[in-house]
Amino acid sequence: MSAYSSDQDLNVTDATGEDAEVDVAINLLNGNVRLSVLWTDAICLRPDDAERVAQALLRAAEHGRRIAETRSARAADTPHRPY
């Protein structure tokens, strides 16, 4: 099972007709955001698609912050036991 959850609203492919895709995903364990360009090393985006990627990154950043804050709060609430 993957710890990453992809943005299901993002459907962006290469503007030149190649099979490249963009994926924005959140690590549900630590809140890190992953930006992937699938099937290639680079991708050309139309302006509207570039904006969609930017919005997906903003959504992921906010979600990641909430995960990280929750994780930090839980760690702070957990009593430390001496060994």
Side-chain angles (χ1 to χ4, degrees):
M1 182 174 142
S2 175
Y4 284 93
S5 175
S6 293
D7 186 324
Q8 299 300 311
D9 294 332
L10 183 64
N11 183 16
V12 173
T13 58
D14 192 274
T16 63
E18 301 296 321
D19 289 335
E21 299 173 32
V22 175
D23 180 54
V24 174
I26 302 166
N27 183 316
L28 299 174
L29 301 176
N30 61 22
N32 290 342
V33 177
R34 179 184 71 191
L35 171 63
S36 302
V37 178
L38 308 173
W39 325 124
T40 189
D41 293 329
I43 190 167
C44 295
L45 300 175
R46 292 176 186 87
D48 289 346
D49 286 341
E51 187 172 355
R52 284 185 194 93
V53 172
Q55 292 298 322
L57 284 167
L58 289 170
R59 286 191 301 270
E62 181 57 33
H63 190 182
R65 273 190 213 96
R66 287 192 309 267
I67 290 171
E69 288 169 0
T70 300
R71 189 172 183 214
S72 292
R74 285 184 187 155
D77 290 342
T78 302
H80 297 283
R81 291 185 249 169
Y83 293 102

